[in-house]
Amino acid sequence: ARRGSGRTRRAVGRRALALQGPEARSAELTWSGLTPGKEYTLQTQCLEVAENTRTIRSLDWQRDRFDIEFALTNGTTYNAYTIKGATHTALIDASHKKFEALFMDALESPEGGAVDLGTLDYIVVSHTEPDHSGLIEDLLVKARERGNEKLTVVGTKICINFLKDLIHMDFKAQVVKGGDQIDLGGGHVLDFVVAPNLHWPDTMFTYDNKTQLLYTCDAFGMHYCSDNVTDAEGVQALEPHYKLYYNCLMRPNARSVLSALKKVGESCGDVSAIATGHGPVLVESKDEWMGKYKSWSEDATTKLGPSVCVFWVSRHGDSERFAQSFAYGLTNQDVLVEMHDLNAVDAFEVVEACQRNKVIVIFAPPMGENAAQTNVGSILASCNPKDHKLVICASGGADDEPVDSLVSRCVQQTGIPEGLPAIRCGGGSEEKTLAMFEASGLQLAKDLQSKKKQAAKDKLDQKTTEALGKMGSGRYIVTGRKGEINSAAVATWVMPASSDPPSVAVSVAKDHPLSSLTQLGDTFVLNMLEEGNYLDLMKHFQRDLRPSDDVFEGVDVAEVAAGEAAGISVVGCSAFLLCRVFSRMDAGDHVLVVGEALTGAVVREAPTAANYRKSA
Ligand code: FEO
């Protein structure tokens, strides 16, 4: 590996952050194994970030999807840290298995901390998902080969239990809870903050009293890979990545975010920087980033209306990602959601969660006697037909309890009604299955909020309703495509937005799947319906579809492209514009999407169909 590029980082003026030493980059390795046919560049980057503290960033430059976040535009990083105290050395988190050779090399390098696995004292595991802990077993094996019998894995009780299942060897472990400390010497006293459900039940933060760095692993992270070790690129450039990550992973756990922030305030000293597990170390705008987590989470937990509890099953099939997608569909619609792992939640928490929530979503646990099955029993004992609805979902595990068996046990035998028909995997691609779970979440949100929306309409007096109905507009079909996922909607709230760049603004309902396909950087096609000749097409796109249905089945469509941008035009429309989204604005139950027109054509000279609403 190539090291010591000699690049020097500027000091950022924070007492605890050094960021001045030489940075080391490894040679680039090529890896394949995610999107078929695609090659990914892997590299490590090491730098001193604070006194006696170095980061080892595993740079996954082209990673294009991660859990439910498809179409990542800037790859991601998996960040580990080494702390060399006066008497003991600790490694905080590790990396993905695919980085094995690069990571081991970096760990022993001077820029990575010159860590000798023969004498390393602690590996602090903040969370056991494989992107951070995939190398723990390799590290333990290497340490033992070098005669290191003292190396201790530090984590929460759940974390250590998970690791015992994952790692095929005995290892020395230390379970920590809030208030526990480990002294590395020289002032590097580590405090631990148990922060469950961010986003797994095993998660915790670590605070170093010497450097005032707070190590948070997934929390406060973002999927963003660049040359910058810190957030020097600024809030404006990074916020879309930070927000998408928060929405996907943290928003369904907003209560847990607020609880973790409170614990940090109570039990840690000043925080100089947040040493995250993904993306940059947050230092330049650290307070603003923390403030955003607080305000977004307060916002997510103060919405009125029925709330939903999702019980998923860790390390079982695709339960986690299906549950995340389902929750994403709900939280996108401002439905308050909480999530619990059936393997880790206790009976008391189950009772409380069922008391707080109207809809209980159960992802299929494995068959047999296990903690998850016991907790399903507790859910059923805590719910009743008057106050609750159930949604039963497949987990995609080889030994799932069949959905039909769960429906029989949970719904038919208890009389508790279903909030949605049971959701099965359907056998489509992973991308389509995740989209189907998200659309199911949207559907449930729509059902839960129908009364609230009607009440908002009923508040308007007749004259106001009539005046709103006087506004004229056109009739359009907007299509969106991302990978294998398609969506389309009839739109009437459309208008030119600017001439430089030439752009259009389209109002998209938040509860429509099109909303997920019109994020920043996505493309959409605005198809103009022809006056006097649009009814069949409009009816087609206004049908009620099941989440698994193909929206284009039964109509003719054509692909349109401009450079790398592409979309779907609908045959029969009089004109189309292919647009790329460059701005989105919240607009109540809709989102205003502004797209630059990249290319377009008039297919037939004809006026665009006009639309005059009868009421608001
Ligand atoms: Fe970054 Fe939940 O692992």
Side-chain angles (χ1 to χ4, degrees):
R2 171 172 60 85
R3 283 219 192 88
S5 62
R7 221 178 285 199
T8 297
R9 297 271 147 183
R10 70 188 173 88
V12 295
R14 298 297 195 283
R15 184 178 66 78
L17 279 195
L19 296 170
Q20 297 182 75
E23 172 197 301
R25 293 284 184 104
S26 71
E28 293 178 351
L29 282 190
T30 301
W31 179 81
S32 57
L34 190 60
T35 300
K38 185 169 170 178
E39 293 193 329
Y40 299 83
T41 306
L42 309 183
Q43 194 177 30
T44 52
Q45 177 187 30
C46 300
L47 181 70
E48 183 179 28
V49 291
E51 202 174 344
N52 307 317
T53 307
R54 291 172 180 273
T55 184
I56 302 172
R57 284 159 48 92
S58 297
L59 311 178
D60 199 345
W61 285 102
Q62 289 99 16
R63 184 150 185 174
D64 47 358
R65 59 195 166 94
F66 198 104
D67 288 340
I68 65 165
E69 310 95 317
F70 282 91
L72 298 184
T73 49
N74 286 78
T76 193
T77 71
Y78 321 99
N79 308 333
Y81 302 87
T82 57
I83 307 171
K84 282 203 145 176
T87 54
H88 294 79
T89 299
L91 168 67
I92 305 217
D93 295 320
S95 185
H96 196 287
K97 178 86 177 160
K98 66 190 176 188
F99 277 90
E100 182 177 355
L102 291 174
F103 185 85
M104 297 297 178
D105 200 21
L107 188 64
E108 293 180 342
S109 73
E111 297 84 0
V115 171
D116 177 1
L117 282 172
T119 58
L120 177 65
D121 297 286
Y122 298 105
I123 302 176
V124 177
V125 178
S126 312
H127 163 45
T128 51
E129 263 203 305
D131 48 330
H132 310 285
S133 64
L135 291 177
I136 301 293
E137 184 167 2
D138 302 275
L139 289 162
L140 291 170
V141 168
K142 280 190 193 310
R144 187 157 297 170
E145 283 169 2
R146 295 187 195 176
N148 185 347
E149 295 296 330
K150 66 177 177 178
L151 178 56
T152 304
V153 179
V154 179
T156 59
K157 186 176 172 194
I158 296 172
C159 164
I160 298 298
N161 284 341
F162 280 179
L163 280 177
K164 282 180 181 164
D165 284 344
L166 289 169
I167 292 177
H168 307 98
M169 61 187 283
D170 288 336
F171 60 92
K172 205 171 158 189
Q174 181 172 344
V175 169
V176 286
K177 52 188 185 329
D180 289 352
Q181 291 188 324
I182 289 180
D183 190 350
L184 303 179
H188 291 280
V189 176
L190 304 183
D191 281 325
F192 301 98
V193 177
V194 176
N197 298 324
L198 299 182
H199 60 119
W200 270 29
D202 57 355
T203 44
M204 71 171 187
F205 301 164
T206 301
Y207 177 75
D208 183 345
N209 285 274
K210 170 94 173 180
T211 59
Q212 300 177 335
L213 255 68
L214 181 68
Y215 300 91
T216 58
C217 198
D218 278 338
F220 305 103
M222 66 184 89
H223 291 309
Y224 190 82
C225 182
S226 82
D227 290 328
N228 284 302
V229 172
T230 72
D231 54 343
E233 285 165 65
V235 173
Q236 198 179 355
L238 297 175
E239 183 168 348
H241 308 279
Y242 189 70
K243 181 88 194 272
L244 176 66
Y245 183 99
Y246 172 88
N247 283 345
C248 289
L249 293 187
M250 301 297 159
R251 196 171 175 199
N253 300 296
R255 269 201 191 99
S256 304
V257 172
L258 292 173
S259 162
L261 283 169
K262 190 160 173 267
K263 284 188 198 170
V264 167
E266 288 168 355
S267 60
C268 302
D270 288 344
V271 174
S272 62
I274 303 176
T276 61
H278 294 292
V281 174
L282 305 180
V283 56
E284 304 275 359
S285 307
K286 177 248 316 167
D287 293 337
E288 199 171 340
W289 295 123
M290 287 181 97
K292 285 180 190 298
Y293 257 44
K294 186 161 186 283
S295 64
W296 291 339
S297 299
E298 283 170 349
D299 196 33
T301 50
T302 50
K303 296 286 188 230
L304 298 174
S307 57
V308 177
C309 182
V310 178
F311 288 101
W312 59 287
V313 192
S314 60
R315 294 174 292 121
H316 176 59
D318 284 311
S319 183
E320 181 201 7
R321 291 191 300 155
F322 292 171
Q324 280 177 355
S325 296
F326 192 86
Y328 187 61
L330 287 162
T331 54
N332 253 341
Q333 273 285 71
D334 298 332
V335 171
L336 176 54
V337 177
E338 63 179 271
M339 298 181 77
H340 294 282
D341 173 9
L342 280 172
N343 279 328
V345 70
D346 65 38
F348 183 66
E349 289 171 314
V350 168
V351 173
E352 284 201 321
C354 291
Q355 281 170 352
R356 276 195 297 264
N357 294 285
K358 164 85 183 166
V359 181
I360 308 298
V361 182
I362 303 173
F363 277 81
M367 288 184 290
E369 283 186 27
N370 50 58
Q373 283 284 3
T374 305
N375 278 322
V376 171
S378 300
I379 294 170
L380 297 182
S382 307
C383 292
N384 65 71
K386 190 167 142 280
D387 299 321
H388 294 97
K389 287 185 175 178
L390 294 177
V391 179
I392 305 298
C393 303
S395 284
D399 55 348
D400 262 15
E401 177 174 350
V403 165
D404 288 341
S405 150
L406 266 176
V407 170
S408 164
R409 183 152 76 96
C410 303
V411 179
Q412 289 158 359
Q413 291 175 28
T414 63
I416 302 169
E418 286 182 289
L420 283 178
I423 304 170
R424 295 163 167 83
C425 295
S429 68
E430 176 195 26
E431 203 173 351
K432 281 191 169 169
T433 306
L434 291 176
M436 188 265 292
F437 271 99
E438 184 184 332
S440 300
L442 281 173
Q443 182 60 51
L444 178 61
K446 211 172 183 173
D447 296 348
L448 293 175
Q449 294 187 327
S450 59
K451 275 190 192 156
K452 194 174 131 196
K453 282 191 176 172
Q454 192 54 49
K457 275 190 176 178
D458 291 346
K459 271 202 309 199
L460 286 177
D461 62 54
Q462 181 68 20
K463 283 181 186 166
T464 313
T465 304
E466 285 170 5
L468 276 166
K470 283 290 175 195
M471 294 180 68
S473 59
R475 293 183 192 272
Y476 308 86
I477 294 162
V478 181
T479 65
R481 162 174 279 188
K482 201 182 267 185
E484 295 177 30
I485 312 303
N486 294 313
S487 186
V490 174
T492 54
W493 300 350
V494 177
M495 60 182 232
S498 70
S499 52
D500 184 17
S503 65
V504 295
V506 180
S507 190
V508 178
K510 284 182 185 170
D511 63 8
H512 197 286
L514 186 64
S515 172
S516 287
L517 303 186
T518 48
Q519 301 292 322
L520 290 179
D522 290 346
T523 51
F524 65 86
V525 177
L526 181 66
N527 298 274
M528 289 149 224
L529 287 164
E530 182 182 335
E531 185 64 69
N533 186 23
Y534 62 83
L535 275 178
D536 287 347
L537 279 176
M538 197 174 77
K539 278 183 194 161
H540 175 90
F541 287 103
Q542 281 179 330
R543 287 173 308 155
D544 275 337
L545 294 177
R546 287 171 304 172
S548 54
D549 289 344
D550 176 3
V551 68
F552 294 128
E553 193 177 331
V555 290
D556 290 333
V557 295
E559 183 136 334
V560 291
E564 289 187 354
I568 298 293
S569 70
V570 178
V571 175
C573 291
S574 56
F576 68 84
L577 285 169
L578 172 67
C579 305
R580 187 189 300 282
V581 179
F582 69 90
S583 180
R584 295 181 107 234
M585 196 180 85
D586 191 78
D589 61 356
H590 281 59
V591 60
L592 204 57
V593 173
V594 185
E596 177 182 358
L598 305 174
T599 189
V602 175
V603 180
R604 205 167 32 259
E605 280 298 346
T608 298
N611 177 51
Y612 292 94
R613 293 183 295 161
K614 291 190 174 56
S615 64

